[in-house]
Amino acid sequence: MKQRKPVLILGLGNPLMGDDGVGCRVAEMLASDPRLPAHADVHDAGSDLLRWADEIAGSDKVILIDGALSEQPAGALTIYEDELPGVAACSSHVHHLSPLHAIALLRSTQPEIARVHFTLLTVAVSSAEVGMPLSPLIQNQLPEICDQVLLRL
Amino acid sequence: MTNSTSTLRIEHLARVEGHGGITITMKGDQVLHVWLDIFEGSRLFETLVRGRRFDEASQIVSRICSICSTSHALAAILAIERAMHVEVSALTNALRELMHLGENIESHALHLFLLAAPDYLDYPSAIALAADKPSLVKLGLRLKNLGNVLQEVIGGRAIHPVNAIPGGFARLPTIQQMLDLRQRLEQGREDCQAAVAMLSSLPPADFCHASTVFAALRDSSIVVKEGAVEEQLEPGCYRTLTNEEKGPFSNAKRSLYRDRPFMVGALARLNINPGSLTAGAQAAVEQLGLSLASCNPMDNNKAQAVELVILIDRALSIVRELIEEGWQAQAPVAVRAHPGNGVAVLEAPRGLLIHNYTFDQAGYITEADVVTPTAMNAASMEHHFRVAVERSDSKEPAVLTRKVEMLARAYDPCLSCSVHLIQANERGRTG
C-alpha cells in the first residue's frame, strides 16, 4: 500500500467551469512549487471529495481549496480552521454530496477521519461559466492563495 | 375543490441557485404545466473541444462530470478510434470494460445508499441516516470505494482517468494490483448481497406507474421499447432519438422519440435486456420483488441494485480471467490523424451517453456533440412528475414535494455535476 504523507492538500472544482476550477489551478501550481514540503501531497481533486476518503483517512491534516459563491468581493479568501462551515440539515443535492456534506459524512462513519484536522480555504467567485480559463481577477490571486496554503503547512 | 391556479416550486434540486428545480402549476386538481429546469452544462462543453486535437479530447470531456468522468472519457476515446479507424487489443477492451464497471459500481452505490435510501427511510440526508444507521452508510461507502479503486487501478487516478488514451493504455496494472482487486471484488460480492437485502426491506414506492417508452443499448444498437413493441437504431442515427426540441414550458431542451418522452438508465437496461440477467441477478430481481418489464420509474432504484450484482460479478470474472491468462506489456496502438467522423454510444450509469466528433485532416475537432442521459430523461421525468401529482390523493404541497423529489432522485439525474460551488457566508476568518 502506498505510504501516505501526513498533510494532504486537495484542490476542488471543475476546471471546465471557469472560476469554479480555482482549487484545481491552485493544486497544479503547488505541485510544481519548490516550497512544497516533502511531508505534503497535493492533488487536483475534482469535485467528488468522497473519492479521496482513503487518502484523507491516512492523513493528519487536510487542506481543501475551493471556490465559493459568496457575498464577499470576488477573490476574497476565507479560511476555516478546525470548525468548517455548518451544513444544512437537509441535503439539497441529488447527484453527489458537496465537500462539506462529504466531510460530515466521513467524520460520522470513519473514526480515523474524525481525528483529521481540516482547513478549508474558500475563494469568493461571482460566477462560474463554462470555459477553461479563470477570470483575470482570480488568476491574479493564485500566488496569494498558494502562499496562504503554504503558510498553513 | 378549488379552481384557483397554484404553483408547486421545488428549488433545491440543483447545487447552484437559479439553475435547477421543478415547477408544477395546477388549476384545482388538474396539472397544467410541469417543467424541470436543468442546467445543461454538457451542451456547452462542446465548444471547449472544438479546435482541440483528438488526443486532448478525452481529458477535457472527462471533466464534464465527476461521477461519470470515466464514461465521458471512454465515449470520446471510442468515437475518436472509430473516426481514425483504430482497432485496439483484447486486453485494452477488457481493461476499459473493467474501468467502466468500476464507475457504474461507484455511481450506483453512491446513489442507492447516500441519496435514495434517506428518502425511503424518511431521513433528510445521508448524514442524518449515518447518525442512526452507520452500518448501512458504511456498506454503501465500501461499495462506492470498490468502484473507485477499480477506476484508480486501471485509470490511474481516483477521479478523471489519465491512463486510458486513444489506442490503449498509457500504463498497465501490475499483477499485484489485480490480485488486490480480486480480493476486494470477492468482498464486494458479499457486500452486494447485503445491499440487495437492505433495499428489499425498504418500503414500496409506486405512485407514478405509467406507460413508458424505454431506450437502452442491446449489443451495439440502441433499442427503443414500449410494451412489446421494439425498434432498433444504429448509433449513427442517434439524432432520431435525441432530437432535442425545446419544450413549451421550459428553458431546457427535451428529447422525444416519435413525440414521446423516453426513459434511459438502469431500469431501461433491464427492461430491454431481461435475457442478460445472470443467476445472481435473477435472484436479486426476485428478492427485490422487481417485476420486469416494469413501468414504475421508482423501480430504477431496484434496477440499480440488480445491476450492482451484475457489475461486480462481471468485474470479478474479467479480473480472474486476466490473472489466469496473464498479459504482456504492450504499447497503445498508434493513432494517426485522419479526417472523418466518429460516434460512440455507451451506457453511462444513468443511461445512454453519446459522443460524436468530426475531425479535420490534422486531427483537430471541427464539430462535437455530447448528449447526456439526463438530457434524454428530462421529458420523461416531467411526464412522471405529472402522473405522480395527478394520482396523489393529497394535493398538499408537502406531500407532493416529497413524492416529486423521491421520483426525481429515483431517476438519479445529473443536474448538478458540472459545478460544485459551495455557499460560504457563514462564520470563518477572512484572510
Side-chain angles (χ1 to χ4, degrees):
Chain A
M1 191 172 165
K2 199 177 146 191
Q3 191 68 35
R4 307 270 187 231
K5 294 182 180 178
V7 178
L8 177 66
I9 304 166
L10 298 174
L12 296 162
N14 185 343
L16 297 192
M17 298 298 296
D19 287 346
D20 181 50
V22 60
C24 306
R25 303 295 185 209
V26 170
E28 278 172 20
M29 276 185 87
L30 284 171
S32 57
D33 192 318
R35 296 173 296 166
L36 186 75
H39 68 274
D41 250 342
V42 60
H43 295 282
D44 161 8
S47 49
D48 178 14
L49 194 60
L50 283 180
R51 289 213 185 193
W52 299 89
D54 283 352
E55 286 79 1
I56 292 170
S59 306
D60 297 329
K61 181 181 175 74
V62 174
I63 300 178
L64 305 170
I65 306 115
D66 200 359
L69 285 173
S70 167
E71 288 157 5
Q72 295 185 65
L77 260 182
T78 306
I79 297 153
Y80 300 89
E81 291 279 3
D82 301 322
E83 282 189 58
L84 302 180
V87 292
C90 177
S91 170
S92 61
H93 309 298
V94 290
H95 187 45
H96 64 259
L97 301 180
S98 75
L100 296 177
H101 282 89
I103 293 168
L105 188 69
L106 292 172
R107 277 178 160 171
S108 70
T109 54
Q110 297 191 31
E112 61 274 33
I113 290 183
R115 59 153 189 81
V116 175
H117 177 98
F118 282 91
T119 298
L120 171 66
L121 276 83
T122 64
V123 185
V125 304
S126 54
S127 70
E129 302 294 335
V130 174
M132 290 176 79
L134 297 175
S135 64
L137 195 152
I138 299 295
Q139 179 72 36
N140 291 337
Q141 276 285 91
L142 292 180
E144 161 69 11
I145 302 167
C146 288
D147 289 348
Q148 289 294 332
V149 173
L150 292 166
L151 273 175
R152 279 156 181 84
L153 297 179
Chain B
M1 190 177 88
T2 171
N3 271 328
S4 62
T5 302
S6 60
T7 301
L8 176 71
R9 193 169 282 126
I10 300 168
E11 293 174 337
H12 299 295
L13 280 173
R15 307 184 67 176
V16 180
E17 289 174 11
H19 284 299
I22 300 166
T23 305
I24 298 169
T25 56
M26 290 176 285
K27 188 170 187 182
D29 283 354
Q30 188 196 353
V31 177
L32 298 178
H33 309 308
V34 179
W35 80 85
L36 169 70
D37 189 13
I38 61 174
F39 173 63
E40 224 179 348
S42 57
R43 306 294 303 149
L44 301 170
F45 286 125
E46 293 146 3
T47 59
L48 295 179
V49 290
R50 271 187 215 127
R52 297 279 183 163
R53 245 179 74 96
F54 72 88
D55 45 10
E56 293 177 280
S58 66
Q59 283 303 300
I60 295 172
V61 297
S62 90
R63 294 282 183 166
I64 289 175
C65 177
S66 62
I67 307 291
C68 305
S69 58
T70 292
S71 282
H72 279 289
L74 279 180
I77 288 168
L78 293 173
I80 290 162
E81 289 172 350
R82 273 172 203 150
M84 313 277 173
H85 310 298
V86 174
E87 290 289 332
V88 297
S89 68
L91 176 64
T92 291
N93 282 328
L95 293 176
R96 283 178 181 173
E97 185 181 356
L98 206 46
M99 194 168 78
H100 192 219
L101 290 165
E103 177 181 87
N104 279 269
I105 293 167
E106 183 212 348
S107 179
H108 284 4
L110 172 73
H111 176 249
L112 288 172
F113 284 87
L114 303 184
L115 301 171
D119 273 339
Y120 284 84
L121 296 170
D122 213 13
Y123 285 89
S125 69
I127 299 164
L129 179 63
D132 271 6
K133 299 180 188 296
S135 59
L136 191 151
V137 173
K138 281 180 187 173
L139 173 64
L141 288 172
R142 231 177 14 247
L143 280 163
K144 180 188 182 315
N145 191 44
L146 172 65
N148 290 350
V149 171
L150 270 166
Q151 292 173 87
E152 186 169 3
V153 167
I154 312 296
R157 280 193 95 228
I159 191 164
H160 307 301
V162 290
N163 276 346
I165 57 174
F169 279 84
R171 194 169 59 89
L172 298 177
T174 64
I175 185 72
Q176 187 55 51
Q177 285 177 311
M178 294 307 259
L179 291 169
D180 290 345
L181 275 186
R182 184 177 65 183
Q183 193 181 356
R184 282 174 180 264
L185 284 161
E186 281 162 354
Q187 170 65 46
R189 253 181 151 174
E190 288 175 30
D191 285 344
C192 206
Q193 297 303 320
V196 170
M198 183 282 286
L199 287 158
S200 65
S201 71
L202 296 178
D206 187 0
F207 49 82
C208 45
H209 212 114
S211 173
T212 304
V213 180
F214 293 96
L217 276 181
R218 183 188 292 150
D219 301 323
S220 58
S221 299
I222 300 167
V223 173
V224 188
K225 182 174 180 175
E226 183 179 17
V229 180
E230 282 190 8
E231 287 187 67
Q232 202 159 309
L233 298 172
E234 290 314 306
C237 304
Y238 73 89
R239 285 200 175 98
T240 314
L241 193 67
T242 64
N243 38 54
E244 302 200 308
E245 289 295 319
K246 194 174 172 186
F249 308 113
S250 171
N251 293 324
K253 290 175 180 174
R254 298 291 181 271
S255 290
L256 300 172
Y257 183 70
R258 300 194 190 287
D259 296 325
R260 301 279 310 278
F262 60 93
M263 182 176 184
V264 298
L267 185 60
R269 288 191 284 264
L270 293 192
N271 278 341
I272 284 174
N273 301 294
S276 68
L277 292 179
T278 58
Q282 187 58 49
V285 164
E286 284 161 23
Q287 195 176 348
L288 289 159
L290 177 60
S291 174
L292 297 173
S294 165
C295 281
N296 175 8
M298 293 302 297
D299 280 347
N300 198 46
N301 292 323
K302 291 181 179 177
Q304 288 189 341
V306 173
E307 282 199 331
L308 268 181
V309 176
I310 297 171
L311 297 163
I312 291 176
D313 278 352
R314 177 67 186 146
L316 188 54
S317 158
I318 294 172
V319 167
R320 282 177 174 161
E321 205 170 299
L322 286 169
I323 290 170
E324 218 166 90
E325 294 179 2
W327 61 91
Q328 300 286 321
Q330 56 177 242
V333 175
V335 182
R336 288 188 178 79
H338 194 285
N341 173 265
V343 177
V345 183
L346 55 78
E347 286 284 358
R350 285 156 199 85
L352 294 169
L353 173 66
I354 299 164
H355 281 225
N356 178 3
Y357 301 96
T358 303
F359 301 93
D360 68 12
Q361 197 78 32
Y364 286 86
I365 296 169
T366 56
E367 289 297 331
D369 191 17
V370 174
V371 189
T372 61
T374 299
M376 285 185 243
N377 268 337
S380 185
M381 289 172 78
E382 290 176 342
H383 165 61
H384 284 119
F385 292 156
R386 178 184 286 273
V387 172
V389 172
E390 284 176 347
R391 297 242 179 103
S392 180
D393 291 335
S394 167
K395 296 292 189 277
E396 286 298 315
V399 173
L400 295 179
T401 297
R402 179 170 157 73
K403 286 184 175 177
V404 169
E405 282 189 340
M406 273 185 85
L407 176 52
R409 272 189 275 273
Y411 265 89
D412 192 8
C414 187
L415 304 181
S416 53
C417 57
S418 304
V419 177
H420 77 108
L421 295 167
I422 62 169
Q423 294 281 358
N425 47 14
E426 296 163 76
R427 70 196 157 83
R429 189 170 70 76
T430 301

